[in-house]
Amino acid sequence: MTPQAASPAVLSRYADLPTLIGLMTGDEKHQGAATSTLDVLWVLYDRILNVSPDRVDDPQRDRFLLSKGHGPMAYYAVLAAKGFLDLGTLRRWSEFDSPLGQHPDRALVPGVEISSGSLGHGLGLAVGTALGLRAQGLTTTRTAKHTAPEPRVFVLVGDAELDEGSNLEAIQLAGRLELGGLTTIVIDNGSATHGWPGGIASRFTAEGWTAHVVNGRDHDALAHAFTQPHPRQPLVVVAEVERNS
Amino acid sequence: MRDSTASVISHAMDDDERVAVLLADISTDRYARAAGRHPHRVINVGIREQLLVSAAGGLALTGMRPVVHTFSSFLVERPFEQLKLDLGHQGVGAVVVGIGGSYDVSAAGRTHMAPGDVALLDTLPGWTVHVPGHAEEADAHVLSALASDERVYVRLSSRGNAASHSWGPNLVTVREGSAHSAGVVVAVGPMLDRVLTATRELDVTVLYTSTVRPFDRAGLNRAVAAAGTADVLVVEPYLAGTSAHEIAAALRDHPHRQLGLGVSRDMELRRYGTPEEHDTAHGLDVEGIATAAGTFFRR
């Protein structure tokens, strides 16, 4: 299916996101599962990411990779608010001919960088994307003084998703290769079955990452964490949200 | 083949800035010079085969042409879901170069054997699979794969035929049977020399290919139509019958018989020793192929 050009968003504010999610669920009962990522996604698309519907193929764009492809309603709602999708598309969500499934497909949705749903793939893809940008000279190894805009790679995972061992492979290599252009956001709603004693951030800092732990509902705190310098180190932002939201 | 393709890929990197090589601590010595010239395009991820394939997917998403290389057992079997999702489902390609297929390193035991690699990839759409029988064929397949954006598996072997025969996509006729022949033999990659010796007393057409996916269905159909009998024997260096569904599809409009020779499916051969000893155990030495062909064609 050819991605459809989206019309200008009618509902484009943060306050409109529940309405947009409501177009997909049609009721309130599914919203909890969808909204653990809502504030992080909004801050990224509203304040951080250098990407827009008219340049989804621009090599210089920032990449946002949703690894945690489960419960993508918040993702679709933010994409709609930012003009990547139109409202009619939201209404047909998960129907046979809809581009919007219960896990996103990059071939069907404009602006979606990866197809996801099976856990533990996005971080590896993000490492490869950062390596590809570096190999093409689109990113340099960042230094604190370096101010020229360079495409960044953001990947969002869940705390339970980190259980997949494939993530550890990516965390280790990104630290060792000093992938300063890579940012991982961990949505921590305490859903990992066996938990992460000592906290998630320490797993990353032990491998050479810069880490910030913030309230995942605090927009200013999130934006601040995303924009702090992290020369020659990948960045992890652990966004804590209410348990099992 | 392994040294030759490393050289071909390394030289290609000098001319094509899209080409990047991903390694997992295997063959790093063979890419050391390329790594010196292109430090950001030769990436050794360590012993992390899931990341090896996922990272290739990410590189391809940025427009690069990744080459992924290690033993077939760790390249196709361990990270199979990464091949399925991080290349196939993302809609991007890579050149996946495997070594040690079936039992090239038989002394290492079952852990390093991968006779199921082609059958596994056969469950995924959109893969081209090359099984070169000679280093020159391997080089040609790698070069053409680098120039495309497709998902390509090049299955290298430490063994092969005395001469190269074909690196095109189609079946080629190496020996033509009479109009009253007993049928057609398809030899895949490294099996050709053995097949030619094993069938020299038979009136059969011997076809050869070093590209099994996509399979040249039309070529097989033509050869069978020209043969005296619509009986087809396929000799493959991996799991027996891997291409049986392709033969059936090619000959769906003909009453026909087929037999697939390859690595036995019904046992885990718990032995070390040489690849030749494993050939014998699976009936893939000259004698085994001759016996099976004789029984099949002289019914």
Side-chain angles (χ1 to χ4, degrees):
Chain A
M1 183 180 297
T2 305
Q4 299 160 359
S7 57
V10 177
L11 302 169
S12 59
R13 302 168 302 156
Y14 175 72
D16 295 325
L17 296 178
T19 302
L20 292 167
I21 290 173
L23 293 177
M24 288 172 275
T25 57
D27 62 23
E28 304 301 315
K29 68 182 179 183
H30 292 120
Q31 292 197 13
T35 55
S36 67
T37 59
L38 184 67
D39 295 280
V40 166
L41 290 168
W42 177 257
V43 170
L44 284 170
Y45 277 89
D46 194 50
R47 302 200 203 176
I48 305 294
L49 294 176
N50 181 21
V51 66
S52 57
D54 59 342
R55 42 190 290 269
V56 294
D57 295 320
D58 184 348
Q60 296 284 350
R61 74 189 184 280
D62 285 341
R63 272 74 164 176
F64 173 72
L65 281 58
L66 182 73
S67 184
K68 193 182 92 70
H70 298 49
M73 291 92 93
Y75 185 40
Y76 296 149
V78 171
L79 288 175
K82 292 299 177 185
F84 293 87
L85 295 169
D86 60 32
L87 299 186
T89 305
L90 296 182
R91 288 194 179 91
R92 295 191 294 115
W93 113 285
S94 80
E95 292 176 8
F96 184 77
D97 290 331
S98 171
L100 307 183
Q102 295 181 5
H103 302 114
D105 186 333
R106 70 180 298 271
L108 303 179
V109 193
V112 167
E113 297 283 0
I114 61 166
S115 306
S116 57
S118 180
L119 298 176
H121 290 265
L123 198 40
L125 284 166
V127 166
T129 302
L131 289 168
L133 296 176
R134 175 189 280 188
Q136 294 172 68
L138 291 168
T139 62
T140 58
T141 300
R142 282 171 171 255
T143 65
K145 292 179 180 176
H146 193 88
T147 56
E150 295 178 351
R152 296 172 68 184
V153 181
F154 295 80
V155 56
L156 187 152
V157 302
D159 68 297
E161 181 179 5
L162 286 180
D163 290 356
E164 296 284 3
S166 53
N167 290 305
L168 277 298
E169 297 184 355
I171 291 166
Q172 292 159 351
L173 190 74
R176 225 67 82 246
L177 297 188
E178 302 178 344
L179 288 180
L182 175 66
T183 295
T184 298
I185 304 110
V186 183
I187 302 291
D188 184 6
N189 61 352
S191 59
T193 295
H194 296 291
W196 294 98
I200 290 168
S202 65
R203 271 28 188 244
F204 285 81
T205 54
E207 300 294 349
W209 292 54
T210 297
H212 297 295
V213 182
V214 300
N215 178 346
R217 301 300 186 192
D218 184 333
H219 293 191
D220 290 337
L222 286 166
H224 183 74
F226 291 140
T227 50
Q228 290 305 295
H230 46 101
R232 302 179 69 89
Q233 291 192 325
L235 172 68
V236 62
V237 175
V238 180
E240 295 180 331
V241 299
E242 55 277 26
R243 188 171 179 80
N244 292 325
S245 69
Chain B
M1 291 185 200
R2 182 183 184 180
D3 293 333
S4 180
T5 55
S7 176
V8 165
I9 292 164
S10 295
H11 282 110
M13 294 184 77
D14 296 336
D15 301 326
D16 186 348
E17 294 187 346
R18 294 172 68 240
V19 177
V21 175
L22 289 149
L23 304 169
D25 279 348
I26 298 293
S27 303
T28 52
D29 54 334
R30 292 164 171 84
Y31 291 93
R33 289 185 63 193
R37 291 197 295 269
H38 313 290
H40 287 319
R41 289 196 282 133
V42 177
I43 302 154
N44 179 11
V45 303
I47 306 171
R48 297 182 175 91
E49 286 90 4
Q50 294 183 77
L51 179 62
L52 181 74
V53 178
S54 293
L59 280 154
L61 284 169
T62 68
M64 303 285 288
R65 185 60 171 155
V67 176
V68 196
H69 171 66
T70 186
F71 277 89
S72 291
S73 46
F74 316 131
L75 182 62
V76 176
E77 296 176 334
R78 187 198 297 255
F80 180 70
E81 196 188 55
Q82 278 74 17
L83 294 170
K84 172 189 166 191
L85 296 180
D86 299 344
L87 294 173
H89 188 42
Q90 305 305 328
V92 296
V95 186
V96 178
V97 181
I99 52 172
S102 291
Y103 39 74
D104 277 358
V105 288
S106 50
R110 174 68 175 173
T111 57
H112 284 58
M113 297 180 189
D117 53 351
V118 176
L120 260 177
L121 281 178
D122 225 358
T123 66
L124 303 176
W127 281 84
T128 296
V129 178
H130 299 299
V131 187
H134 190 275
E136 288 175 15
E137 296 170 6
D139 294 352
H141 285 311
V142 164
L143 271 176
S144 87
L146 290 174
S148 83
D149 284 315
E150 305 296 310
R151 288 183 287 283
V152 182
Y153 180 50
V154 186
R155 187 190 205 264
L156 304 182
S157 179
S158 58
R159 299 187 295 158
N161 306 310
S164 68
H165 288 271
S166 168
W167 49 82
N170 298 327
L171 290 161
V172 295
T173 303
V174 181
R175 182 198 296 151
E176 189 148 11
S178 75
H180 308 290
S181 70
V184 173
V185 183
V186 177
V188 173
M191 306 310 296
L192 178 63
D193 284 355
R194 272 176 269 174
V195 165
L196 286 171
T197 306
T199 60
R200 65 189 162 195
E201 305 296 327
L202 298 174
D203 179 9
V204 291
T205 293
V206 177
L207 306 177
Y208 174 74
T209 188
S210 58
T211 300
V212 288
R213 299 292 180 275
F215 187 82
D216 180 14
R217 295 179 184 178
L220 179 64
N221 207 311
R222 281 194 299 273
V224 167
T229 313
D231 289 353
V232 178
L233 171 67
V234 182
V235 186
E236 299 176 285
Y238 33 78
L239 283 184
T242 294
S243 293
H245 67 99
E246 289 288 348
I247 310 306
L251 303 179
R252 67 200 308 165
D253 297 329
H254 298 273
H256 68 278
R257 294 164 66 235
Q258 66 162 306
L259 174 66
L261 299 185
V263 178
S264 307
R265 285 176 177 263
D266 55 357
M267 64 169 173
E268 180 182 322
L269 184 60
R270 233 171 248 278
R271 291 289 187 275
Y272 299 100
T274 66
E276 289 74 20
E277 288 172 310
H278 284 249
D279 287 338
T280 301
H282 292 293
L284 290 176
D285 58 357
V286 169
E287 188 181 346
I289 296 168
T291 301
T295 304
F296 180 68
F297 287 116
R298 289 177 186 139
R299 55 176 171 148

